[in-house]
Amino acid sequence: MPPAPASRHRTGRRTHGLLAAAEGLATAAALTAALPADAHDGGGHGHRPGRYQDVQLLSFNDLHGNLESPSGSSGRITELQPDGTTRTVDAGGAEYLATHLRQARAGHPYSVTAAGGDMVGASPLLSGLFHDEPTIEALGKLKLDVTTVGNHEFDEGARELARLQNGGCHPTDGCYTGKRFKGAGFPYLAANVQDEKTGKPILKPYWVWKKKDVRIGFIGVTLEGTPDIVSADGVKGVAFKDEVETINKYAKVLQRQGVRSIVALIHEGGFPASGAYNYDCDSPGAGAGISGPIVDIAKNVTPAVDALVTGHTHAAYVCTVPDPAGRPRMVTSAASFGRLYTDTTLTYDRRTGDIARTAVRSANHVVTRDVPKAADMTDLISRWNALAAPIGNRPIGYISADIDNTGDESPMGDLIADAQLAHGKELDPRTSLALMNPGGVRSGLTYRAKGAEGDGVVTYAEGFTVQPFANTVNLQDFTGAQLVQVLKEQVSGANAAAPKILQPSAGLTYTLDLTRSGADRVVTDSVRLDGHPVDPAATYRVATNSFLAGGGDGFPTLAQGTNDLVGEDDLAALGTYLTAHSSATSPLAPPAADRITVVQ
């Protein structure tokens, strides 16, 4: 079963050689073919440019405001070794990403940097507390040239996205540094996001990179299903159109303008068969090792598009998926959180103005932490940390070991569900259980101290990283039959292809049988609450976050609850639980994550 996309969840916001061969280049297959003798760029040394010009395309995706090096599993990448084993490598951090990108650009006068969306949103406190202005500033220092919007760019709605693009101080919180926020110095593209009143894109649909006589067009789209995974307020007044139809439409527009080299930036992705960043997903054939929505998109986007930079699923891959004409075309994704970047060579044919597709080659590279930190990025992080410290450094609990956010059922997910159940019981003692959507759990908690707080101390900033959304804890009544139906919706309907396993509070148990198909994978007779079978006719009081309570993430039955009661902020509920259940002398142990019995 493929993992649920890490970024598919409701969002709302809370204000408050160094590139060594050991990186195991994911050479998903350079599409090499002999070029004519004049293939070299010929530029420089006073010579006329040759017919072919190599253009370096650097790309990354799903940064999510991770300026500081991510901790725990969020800051590691899996690498496939020559002997078939795997190892994990510490990776990520804007200070290191900046150094790697700058080193990669050395010796490449024709270089453009693009991103696949979700640069902001679901961000750690350092960025999220300031409405992601620190990340926009950092992206400028990273020399990002262009990005598409992702679903998280709509966390605070289209108006706030426009502010991030165009500048201006926040309408509620004002200016944080005493200066007017300048906005992004690069274009956000939103070709398939239309104003419902005008029918026009809310931001630029495409952008053309130019270097002397070389021109490459970029078209940016996000997944059509964004309204299903973002709060209603976040997408109010805008409509999301089909990705393929939109890209094909604007490819024709670019061609009419004489631009024949085109790259699509698509915030939608796939699931490679291996979690290793350097896995060959072209084995045994082109694109054979990848599944998911991006495959159908890649197979149907017009052959006029020469490469696809993707994202959203937080996966790493460099594949060649045949276009509608049967020609191989590069499709890439660089995991998430700045742990990887992709280096793609596009060979531009000056005679045709197009990319010589047979000469495209690409590889993912690890953003290792064994390179010098970029001083300007260190300064940026220090400046914003000074503003965040009074809030972020406050202790909210203590843990005895890492609480991981991995697996279908994670210890971190269970902990959040337990916290929401406890908060629900405070609001209404009849509350029976809580359910937490996995995509809303953004990170685990690490035992090792990040700063001066000491090992095992959980700070507000760390809690914010886990739950950066302004969801409330809501209570609703459901029948037992509805409760079982909710569990079945984890693996059916909108979630059939990419199941979303809700994280259960203590006392709720059941069997997930992956040898079955569809809704039957949740074994009805196995569903128990405090050891007793769920009564289809009985009424159960259920705590969820406000996104799930509205039917988000493909759970329509959760929108049918009755007797609604709105509680407090979900992060506050987590902090209250940690404070009540842990101390310096009696830290909280990780939940066992044994509430769901998985049959493979």
Side-chain angles (χ1 to χ4, degrees):
M1 180 178 69
S7 59
R8 288 182 178 245
H9 52 81
R10 178 296 200 206
T11 59
R13 292 296 306 240
R14 179 177 285 113
T15 56
H16 314 317
L18 294 167
L19 298 176
E23 288 179 342
L25 300 181
T27 55
L31 305 177
T32 56
L35 293 177
D38 61 352
H40 298 291
D41 64 14
H45 305 295
H47 298 298
R48 285 182 55 192
R51 174 176 172 179
Y52 295 94
Q53 173 64 58
D54 282 350
V55 177
Q56 179 188 59
L57 171 61
L58 300 176
S59 58
F60 54 95
N61 52 276
D62 296 276
L63 181 64
H64 290 289
N66 278 265
L67 302 181
E68 295 180 291
S69 296
S71 60
S73 59
S74 297
R76 303 187 192 105
I77 202 75
T78 300
E79 182 177 73
L80 184 64
Q81 301 296 294
D83 63 0
T85 62
T86 60
R87 69 173 184 130
T88 59
V89 181
D90 290 339
E95 295 161 298
Y96 303 109
L97 178 59
T99 298
H100 278 280
L101 291 178
R102 290 164 188 173
Q103 291 178 346
R105 292 185 188 113
H108 295 277
Y110 288 77
S111 182
V112 58
T113 302
D118 276 6
M119 294 296 97
V120 301
S123 306
L125 182 132
L126 174 62
S127 186
L129 188 63
F130 306 107
H131 300 281
D132 284 309
E133 290 182 19
T135 296
I136 297 298
E137 181 185 348
L139 291 171
K141 293 182 181 298
L142 290 174
K143 301 299 182 184
L144 181 65
D145 290 299
V146 61
T147 184
T148 186
V149 296
N151 54 288
H152 279 284
E153 265 77 22
F154 294 91
D155 282 3
E156 295 188 64
R159 182 171 296 181
E160 172 63 7
L161 172 58
R163 186 185 77 89
L164 292 180
Q165 175 71 89
N166 301 318
C169 297
H170 191 270
T172 302
D173 294 338
C175 299
Y176 296 110
T177 63
K179 297 180 180 179
R180 181 183 182 275
F181 173 58
K182 294 181 180 180
F186 52 87
Y188 261 111
L189 305 182
N192 70 329
V193 187
Q194 297 181 356
D195 184 295
E196 288 184 335
K197 293 182 179 179
T198 66
K200 296 180 179 179
I202 62 170
L203 296 170
K204 291 180 179 180
Y206 61 87
W207 175 78
V208 179
W209 177 81
K210 301 176 183 178
K211 176 80 171 182
K212 296 183 180 179
D213 58 344
V214 176
R215 295 194 299 169
I216 300 177
F218 290 83
I219 302 168
V221 299
T222 188
L223 68 154
E224 184 181 8
T226 292
D228 299 327
I229 55 176
V230 176
S231 69
D233 287 343
V235 295
K236 186 177 181 179
V238 295
F240 294 79
K241 300 302 181 180
D242 182 83
E243 304 96 332
V244 172
E245 292 178 4
T246 302
I247 294 170
N248 292 351
K249 169 186 174 180
Y250 285 105
K252 291 180 180 179
V253 171
L254 285 167
Q255 287 179 310
R256 286 197 293 269
Q257 296 177 8
V259 179
R260 289 177 170 77
S261 295
I262 302 172
V263 174
L265 307 177
I266 308 173
H267 191 70
E268 180 58 290
F271 305 100
S274 168
Y277 85 92
N278 53 341
Y279 163 72
D280 182 5
C281 56
D282 280 347
S283 177
I290 188 171
S291 60
I294 198 60
V295 177
D296 285 338
I297 292 174
K299 289 181 177 179
N300 288 283
V301 164
T302 171
V305 172
D306 298 294
L308 280 60
V309 173
T310 73
H312 187 58
T313 56
H314 292 200
Y317 48 84
V318 177
C319 301
T320 51
V321 179
D323 68 15
R327 300 171 58 208
R329 177 168 54 192
M330 199 65 73
V331 180
T332 70
S333 175
S336 60
F337 306 152
R339 294 173 293 166
L340 296 177
Y341 72 92
T342 311
D343 191 337
T344 302
T345 299
L346 302 173
T347 300
Y348 183 89
D349 186 340
R350 287 188 169 93
R351 185 175 301 172
T352 64
D354 205 349
I355 299 299
R357 194 86 74 77
T358 54
V360 174
R361 56 191 183 275
S362 188
N364 275 332
H365 299 264
V366 180
V367 177
T368 59
R369 300 177 188 171
D370 58 356
V371 298
K373 294 181 179 180
D376 57 342
M377 210 61 72
T378 300
D379 176 68
L380 181 152
I381 291 171
S382 297
R383 284 190 288 106
W384 287 102
N385 259 334
L387 295 176
I391 297 173
N393 291 341
R394 176 170 58 87
I396 60 173
Y398 301 84
I399 56 176
S400 64
D402 288 354
I403 301 181
D404 292 329
N405 182 36
T406 55
D408 289 326
E409 178 190 358
S410 73
M412 192 68 238
D414 285 357
L415 173 57
I416 291 173
D418 289 346
Q420 294 187 0
L421 173 60
H423 180 60
K425 286 184 176 295
E426 290 178 0
L427 297 172
D428 185 342
R430 297 184 301 115
T431 305
S432 303
L433 68 139
L435 297 169
M436 177 63 191
N437 58 314
V441 187
R442 299 306 298 179
S443 178
L445 293 172
T446 55
Y447 176 79
R448 185 175 179 180
K450 290 190 65 177
E453 72 274 12
D455 290 346
V457 178
V458 180
T459 64
Y460 181 84
E462 291 168 325
F464 191 103
T465 299
V466 174
Q467 288 195 277
F469 310 120
N471 289 314
T472 54
V473 178
N474 290 20
L475 302 183
Q476 297 173 292
D477 286 346
F478 295 92
T479 66
Q482 287 177 308
L483 176 57
V484 172
Q485 178 59 27
V486 167
L487 296 179
K488 289 183 176 292
E489 286 170 357
Q490 301 174 111
V491 291
S492 62
N495 298 323
K500 295 187 181 72
I501 306 304
L502 296 170
Q503 308 296 285
S505 58
L508 179 64
T509 60
Y510 67 94
T511 296
L512 181 65
D513 188 348
L514 300 181
T515 66
R516 302 184 182 186
S517 61
D520 291 339
R521 285 177 280 186
V522 172
V523 181
T524 303
D525 294 342
S526 71
V527 182
R528 299 280 192 278
L529 186 59
D530 298 324
H532 303 290
V534 169
D535 182 351
T539 298
Y540 297 89
R541 195 78 162 138
V542 181
T544 64
N545 61 39
S546 48
F547 173 52
L548 283 176
D553 254 359
F555 292 95
T557 301
L558 286 177
Q560 300 171 14
T562 59
N563 195 18
D564 291 14
L565 179 63
V566 178
E568 66 177 332
D569 176 279
D570 54 2
L571 176 55
L574 176 62
T576 298
Y577 185 84
L578 286 170
T579 299
H581 291 81
S582 69
S583 67
T585 57
S586 181
L588 182 72
D594 56 359
R595 300 163 191 180
I596 303 173
T597 300
V598 180
V599 178
Q600 302 271 359

